[in-house]
Amino acid sequence: MDIQFSLLDQALIRYRTSTRQERHATLPELLAAFNADEVSDFPALRPHQRHPWHAFLVQLAAIALHAANRETPFETAAEWHAALLALTPDDSDGAAFALVAPDDRPAFMQAPCERGASRTWKKRIATPDALDMLVTSRNHDLKAQRMVHAEAEDWIYALVSLQTQEGFLGAGNYGISRMNGGFASRPGVGVVPNGRWGKRWARDVQLLRRNRDQIAKTFGLKKKSGVALVWLQPWDGASSLSFSELDPFYIEVCRRVRIQAQGETLSAIATGSKVVRIAAKERCGVTGDAWTPINVAEGKALSITAKGFDYKLASTLAFSSEYEPTIARTLLDDDGKEGVFILAQGITRGQGKTEGYHERRIPITAKMRRLMLKQKGDEIAEAAKERIGEIADVRKTLWSALCALLGNGDQNVSDDTKNKANHFARAFEQGEDRRFFDDLAREIDADDRKSEEHDQWLLALADRASGVLEQAFVAGPRSAERVYRARGAALSRFHVGLRSEKAPPRMARVLKQRNEARKAAQSESFEEVSDGSN
């Protein structure tokens, strides 16, 4: 079998420039374009593949630069070509960066096996989306096996996605080391600077290079001569690599798969393994990954639930000390003062399925940036925590009022009524989720954020909850007698609840002040009318 579809020598990867011009590039040409920040996006890259593709390109560049003893990225494609080829001295013909190569040679993201071994493998895969890890979703997010007219780049992205973020899928199908268990995920959290793909890539490469020795020391990885490109190592499916053998920037593979070519048409063939490729179960995903948050108290990598990066988790990851900040979350002076945000990405996995791809952008204003650079992010975390608690209190009061409305004002509430109330209360919270960080930013940026800005937000929060309650009137009882009773009970429970001793003291205070101001205004208006009539 010949070496075919080389990423080093064939322009297999499409990208678009800032002027929306579409170009085809080799892998070295792409890295050179990144260095010039010319890449706007990748037309064939699917959303759930964005993080693994970014992480792969950052890790690969960091590995190549370290091997070349160079601090800054190469500027030309020829330099990148030489640097990447130097990483595979036993395969100087570039087989390790080709999609198709003989079984006993490494191919791109494909570990070598015995010559001719793949002929006995049973699992044949006709399309790249069937190879990609999201096939386990059973069409939950994307229809499976639809890419019948796939190009080589589709297989490139599918391989990177499978080999660097897949989990456990039954005996013989083991997952990666960089996640907390086989049913977890590999989330990515990091700062995105003002710029395009190359800007973020360059900053993350810089951060990895800067933290290399610390990663090796903290996580017990090899500073020198460690296994960096795991797919170069032969794998018979019966042996695992020790975690301590790895390079701090290691790029792993977790499945035994080989790409095959029939003319210009590609397909894949795969088989299971008896053991995981990297023996690191006891590490619970704590591997020195630059983008994976680690829970400080538990000592485990983050695993997202079906809620994804809701406002509670996102604010914790962005500002709180509950999770160790990822290397990529470090703010740099040249990130820019505007247009900077923290990006959280990940797939929720379950037993034999996925529960959605999740992505969240958390804007970082100029003032937030200054606080974070001065290690004062706790001020932002405290403001976010206070708001989260107040939203929860208002949601609870709203839910109680909804139960009164939908239960016809009765004291005993059925499960069906509770479920209906949950529907409306959830809609309220989802609305607050969508606007949470914009509202938080306004408070942080305000000169007097401890009083006026927060007070105005509290009033608006109460008004939005009241609006949801009124919208629910249409789902309440229809008869005149019951309508009066149910709506009266709901409104009473809502307004009294926000002003009771159990309500947030600040909420009760600002509502009282607004009511007094309105009464005073009405009184003045009445006096003016009375004076005019006299």
Side-chain angles (χ1 to χ4, degrees), residues 91 95-96 101-118 121 163 229-237 253 255-258 277:
D91 299 280
D103 283 354
D104 58 350
R105 305 282 305 283
F108 179 71
M109 300 299 288
Q110 305 159 63
C113 54
E114 293 184 4
R115 182 184 292 271
S118 68
W121 294 1
Q163 300 286 38
L229 307 182
V230 175
W231 77 83
L232 300 183
Q233 307 298 309
W235 188 23
D236 60 3
V253 294
R255 298 291 175 85
R256 302 179 70 198
V257 60
R258 303 293 296 192
R277 186 62 183 117

Side-chain angles (χ1 to χ4, degrees), residues 12 21 66 102 164 189 258 287 326 341 366 383 398 459 500 524 529:
L12 302 178
Q21 292 180 317
H66 174 74
T164 66
V189 178
R258 303 293 296 192
T287 63
T326 66
F341 59 91
L398 173 62
L459 292 172
S500 69
E524 290 179 5
V529 172

Side-chain angles (χ1 to χ4, degrees), residues 47-48 50-51 140-141 185-188 304-310 313 343-349 354-361:
H48 73 279
R50 291 171 188 156
H51 174 62
H140 175 79
D141 297 297
S185 60
R186 184 193 181 189
I304 58 175
T305 68
K307 292 181 179 179
F309 299 100
D310 66 358
L313 176 59
L343 178 63
Q345 300 165 290
I347 294 171
T348 301
R349 302 189 74 261
T354 60
E355 295 179 347
Y357 168 72
H358 304 279
E359 185 172 304
R360 185 77 185 241
R361 300 185 178 210

Side-chain angles (χ1 to χ4, degrees), residues 3 38 53 84 93 96 103 137 156 166 196 215 283 347 385 390 394 399 435 450 454 488 495-496 502 525-526:
I3 297 170
E38 294 178 353
W53 183 235
L84 294 178
D93 57 359
D103 283 354
S137 67
I156 293 170
E166 179 61 293
R196 291 177 282 276
I215 294 172
R283 302 200 65 85
I347 294 171
K385 183 178 179 180
E390 288 162 341
V394 173
W399 182 84
R435 62 182 299 137
K450 291 297 183 182
H454 192 87
H495 292 294
V496 171
K502 296 182 180 180
S525 176
F526 178 77

Side-chain angles (χ1 to χ4, degrees), residues 418-462:
K418 291 178 180 179
N419 289 334
K420 291 178 181 178
N422 283 332
H423 171 76
F424 286 101
R426 191 181 303 115
F428 162 73
E429 188 172 18
Q430 288 172 344
E432 296 309 309
D433 188 321
R434 287 190 293 270
R435 62 182 299 137
F436 184 84
F437 289 105
D438 290 334
D439 287 348
L440 176 65
R442 279 192 288 272
E443 177 173 335
I444 298 300
D445 287 349
D447 294 332
D448 189 14
R449 69 173 187 271
K450 291 297 183 182
S451 57
E452 183 176 353
E453 181 64 35
H454 192 87
D455 288 353
Q456 293 301 315
W457 173 77
L458 281 173
L459 292 172
L461 178 68

Side-chain angles (χ1 to χ4, degrees), residues 79-141:
E79 291 174 306
W80 278 112
H81 188 287
L84 294 178
L85 203 56
L87 298 178
T88 62
D90 295 333
D91 299 280
S92 57
D93 57 359
F97 287 97
L99 285 177
V100 179
D103 283 354
D104 58 350
R105 305 282 305 283
F108 179 71
M109 300 299 288
Q110 305 159 63
C113 54
E114 293 184 4
R115 182 184 292 271
S118 68
R119 296 174 185 171
T120 65
W121 294 1
K122 303 298 183 182
K123 188 175 182 180
R124 299 188 178 278
I125 304 166
T127 62
D129 54 329
L131 175 68
D132 194 343
M133 58 92 66
L134 272 193
V135 70
T136 62
S137 67
R138 298 184 181 181
N139 296 338
H140 175 79
D141 297 297

